Amino acid sequence: RWFTHFYVVSVIWNGFLLLCLFRAEFLGESLPSWIQDMHHALGRDSQSKDMGNEHFSALLVLLLLWLHSCRRLAECLWTSVFSSGVIHIMQYCFGLGYYIAVGSTVLCQVPTNVRNGKKLSVQICWYHIIGVMMYVWASLHQHRCLAILANLRKSASGKVVSLSHSVPFGDWFESVSCPHYFAELLIYVSMAITLGIHNVTWWCVVLYVLFNQALAAVLCHEFYQKNFSSYPKHRKAFIPLVF
């Protein structure tokens, strides 16, 4: 349940960044000076080539990231049923920093100097369509899988009757032990596609999510195998048919 804090921070912070970028791109306003200072420190304002399509890609990805945080916050508040598990203080602090850094990473993909005083020229490309479609597809499955996990602890009337662990079935659970982690990876891959596929910085973010979610999935998979003797042997831990 402490993950709820991560999504509260993400909704507020990334919503603020989204608003700033929206006003800069569509209304021609300048970004706040401290954001421009951050770009200057990272060397992003040294670019002078006007890549308006990349600006729209960054805006779209920041929107997707914010929507993802909103959905996860809503699921933490009204869908998931949490046990009494705890989180390490270092993991908690890192999680808060991560959701601040990931939105800033998107914002830093385009320089500030070519935005100021110019309105965005929207040009939808094929990778925007594919990325958004993949994002919606993965998000729907992640929500379904989280609902399946929550329903294991509820009665038919929706009342929470247990906080113990049970074996989930249905949707992507038929293939992997942690499909919600796999869906998380696909969501970040969809954002990489939306950014135009070639963005190395965001692929580094995807790589981090891959290792982070894979580790959690392996630990969860081993827990299922250890505690449930009849656990389906054909299920993989993280990626269907692969890992």
Side-chain angles (χ1 to χ4, degrees), residues 13-75:
W13 172 250
N14 293 316
F16 169 72
L17 294 182
L18 177 63
L19 178 62
C20 289
L21 186 56
F22 180 88
R23 293 175 67 90
E25 299 291 16
F26 283 102
L27 304 179
E29 298 182 4
S30 297
L31 289 172
S33 59
W34 60 270
I35 292 182
Q36 297 190 46
D37 291 340
M38 179 179 66
H39 277 73
H40 178 72
L42 295 172
R44 296 304 297 175
D45 59 352
S46 62
Q47 302 182 36
S48 59
K49 186 177 181 181
D50 189 353
M51 299 292 288
N53 199 47
E54 291 185 359
H55 295 188
F56 177 66
S57 297
L59 182 66
L60 184 56
V61 168
L62 196 54
L63 173 62
L64 296 180
L65 180 63
W66 182 73
L67 291 174
H68 176 62
S69 300
C70 289
R71 178 180 61 82
R72 291 294 294 118
L73 175 59
E75 289 167 342

Side-chain angles (χ1 to χ4, degrees), residues 11 39 69 74 100 115 122 131 159-160 199 211-213 238:
V11 168
H39 277 73
S69 300
I100 292 176
R115 293 198 198 103
V122 177
K159 182 180 179 180
V160 177
N199 191 291
F211 285 111
N212 178 272
Q213 299 296 297
F238 184 44

Side-chain angles (χ1 to χ4, degrees), residues 4-219:
T4 303
H5 296 185
F6 300 164
Y7 299 119
V8 169
V9 169
S10 182
V11 168
I12 295 174
W13 172 250
N14 293 316
F16 169 72
L17 294 182
L18 177 63
L19 178 62
C20 289
L21 186 56
F22 180 88
R23 293 175 67 90
E25 299 291 16
F26 283 102
L27 304 179
E29 298 182 4
S30 297
L31 289 172
S33 59
W34 60 270
I35 292 182
Q36 297 190 46
D37 291 340
M38 179 179 66
H39 277 73
H40 178 72
L42 295 172
R44 296 304 297 175
D45 59 352
S46 62
Q47 302 182 36
S48 59
K49 186 177 181 181
D50 189 353
M51 299 292 288
N53 199 47
E54 291 185 359
H55 295 188
F56 177 66
S57 297
L59 182 66
L60 184 56
V61 168
L62 196 54
L63 173 62
L64 296 180
L65 180 63
W66 182 73
L67 291 174
H68 176 62
S69 300
C70 289
R71 178 180 61 82
R72 291 294 294 118
L73 175 59
E75 289 167 342
C76 285
L77 294 174
W78 297 298
T79 300
S80 298
V81 179
F82 299 103
S83 64
S84 56
V86 298
I87 185 173
H88 194 282
I89 184 64
M90 293 302 296
Q91 184 183 8
Y92 177 77
C93 293
F94 181 84
L96 293 176
Y98 169 78
Y99 282 100
I100 292 176
V102 72
S104 304
T105 300
V106 177
L107 191 63
C108 287
Q109 296 314 296
V110 286
T112 59
N113 60 332
V114 297
R115 293 198 198 103
N116 299 337
K118 292 186 178 182
K119 295 183 180 180
L120 178 65
S121 176
V122 177
Q123 184 177 358
I124 298 177
C125 297
W126 62 270
Y127 50 80
H128 294 145
I129 298 174
I130 294 178
V132 171
M133 290 178 61
M134 183 177 179
Y135 171 88
V136 173
W137 174 65
S139 296
L140 286 173
H141 279 284
Q142 187 178 56
H143 177 74
R144 289 174 185 171
C145 292
L146 290 171
I148 289 173
L149 287 175
N151 289 334
L152 291 175
R153 296 176 170 177
K154 296 179 181 179
S155 64
S157 62
K159 182 180 179 180
V160 177
V161 295
S162 172
L163 295 181
S164 62
H165 292 85
S166 304
V167 178
F169 292 92
D171 205 76
W172 286 356
F173 278 110
E174 300 302 323
S175 301
V176 291
S177 296
C178 301
H180 47 308
Y181 295 157
F182 177 55
E184 184 80 3
L185 174 63
L186 293 181
I187 287 171
Y188 277 84
V189 170
S190 72
M191 294 181 191
I193 294 174
T194 305
L195 277 173
I197 302 177
H198 61 276
N199 191 291
V200 177
T201 302
W202 194 257
W203 281 112
C204 290
V205 176
V206 172
L207 194 62
Y208 163 76
V209 173
L210 169 63
F211 285 111
N212 178 272
Q213 299 296 297
L215 175 60
V218 168
L219 294 175

